[in-house]
Amino acid sequence: MNSNRLKLLFMHILIGSFFSFGQDNLVTFELRKGEVFDILFLATLDGSQETFKEYRQTAFPVASEMGFSPLPGFKIRETIQGNYEPTSLILAKWTSLASREKFLDEIEGRVPNFHDMRKKIWSIFNLTYYELPEDYSIQLDREKVIVATACFKKESTKADFTEFLTQWKKAVKKTNGTLKMELVNGKSPEGYVYNPDYMAIAQWETKEEFNAFQKENLKIDADFLKNINQFALTD
């Protein structure tokens, strides 16, 4: 198979996987220190298929060239807390912070209508990216209860916020939940800003255990939080 056909095959796999939510119950991420982890919240507009076709044919090759790799995504089954209601959570990684930010700096020069296409495809497109301080090996089970939580603190509430997170994590543990990933110090590009002070992905074995967590969560003082968004990624 010649190099052009190999490249086309790779791009077909890349494009198909980026917006696929997967069939396997077990989802595993192997992430390395120094890589960049993307979390994207999306809601897709009706009738955007043709624009997305153009988007994937023009923007995706540039992303892959610069170190982008797709990871499995999730449908958002329910917004549990907050009035922010995306319908998908998409995950991806980049080889380094330099490669991630090179793409942000150069994509408009390579694909001049890049941002216009995004506006025609998605009614919600928010991105947070994190340079990973250590290796992560994460396994999620789509048959369990997977929940993503984003916390935004008010200004000058560092001590209260630290105490909140301590109590919040205790509640997760008390109800047999498992914190799969915690993320801080993220960045968001201009025009796509969504940058929580704390982002976590947790998993519970059953809905009953998660409901027990919710009851514990209500007992925690959260008046100093500006906002909290919480999403169920599985039923």
Side-chain angles (χ1 to χ4, degrees), residues 12-235:
H12 176 75
I13 295 169
L14 173 67
I15 291 162
S17 63
F18 185 64
F19 288 105
S20 100
F21 301 107
Q23 300 299 318
D24 295 336
N25 290 330
L26 293 179
V27 178
T28 301
F29 306 139
E30 297 291 341
L31 304 169
R32 296 289 172 250
K33 179 180 179 180
E35 289 182 332
V36 168
F37 184 58
D38 278 7
I39 295 183
L40 299 94
F41 288 104
L42 307 178
T44 304
L45 291 165
D46 292 337
S48 60
Q49 293 89 341
E50 285 302 311
T51 306
F52 179 68
K53 182 179 178 180
E54 179 185 357
Y55 179 84
R56 73 189 187 189
Q57 290 173 343
T58 55
F60 276 51
V62 180
S64 64
E65 172 193 318
M66 294 187 182
F68 167 86
S69 298
L71 297 170
F74 295 87
K75 293 179 180 178
I76 294 176
R77 309 292 186 184
E78 178 187 0
T79 296
I80 300 166
Q81 286 187 264
N83 56 6
Y84 176 61
E85 297 188 349
T87 56
S88 305
L89 184 150
I90 301 299
L91 305 174
K93 67 177 182 177
W94 300 75
T95 52
S96 67
L97 183 62
S99 67
R100 210 298 164 232
E101 295 189 337
K102 177 181 173 67
F103 176 83
L104 293 172
D105 290 340
E106 297 184 8
I107 185 57
E108 199 166 6
R110 301 277 296 272
V111 184
N113 62 338
F114 175 74
H115 298 293
D116 288 338
M117 285 192 291
R118 281 186 169 178
K119 291 174 183 177
K120 293 176 181 178
I121 300 168
W122 294 286
S123 59
I124 295 174
F125 190 112
N126 293 116
L127 163 66
T128 317
Y129 61 93
Y130 301 87
E131 185 178 22
L132 298 175
E134 58 187 89
D135 292 352
Y136 290 89
S137 181
I138 301 162
Q139 187 174 82
L140 300 171
D141 188 338
R142 294 180 188 273
E143 292 191 334
K144 310 300 183 184
V145 180
I146 306 171
V147 176
T149 303
C151 298
F152 300 79
K153 67 180 179 66
K154 294 177 182 176
E155 297 299 323
S156 304
T157 58
K158 183 176 180 180
D160 288 335
F161 187 62
T162 300
E163 178 60 21
F164 167 81
L165 291 181
T166 298
Q167 296 304 317
W168 190 86
K169 293 175 194 179
K170 285 182 179 179
V172 172
K173 185 176 182 180
K174 181 178 178 179
T175 55
N176 296 319
T178 304
L179 272 174
K180 295 292 187 175
M181 194 170 200
E182 299 177 84
L183 297 163
V184 295
N185 300 323
K187 295 183 178 182
S188 281
E190 184 179 354
Y192 305 100
V193 174
Y194 184 84
N195 197 3
D197 295 285
Y198 175 79
M199 181 81 192
I201 298 174
Q203 180 175 289
W204 284 262
E205 292 293 309
T206 66
K207 284 185 178 180
E208 290 73 20
E209 289 178 343
F210 177 68
N211 290 340
F213 164 77
Q214 290 293 75
K215 291 178 181 178
E216 292 293 322
N217 192 32
L218 289 174
K219 301 175 186 177
I220 305 172
D221 179 15
D223 287 344
F224 54 87
L225 288 181
K226 182 188 299 182
N227 200 4
I228 183 167
N229 298 140
Q230 194 168 68
F231 309 100
L233 306 184
T234 57
D235 290 326

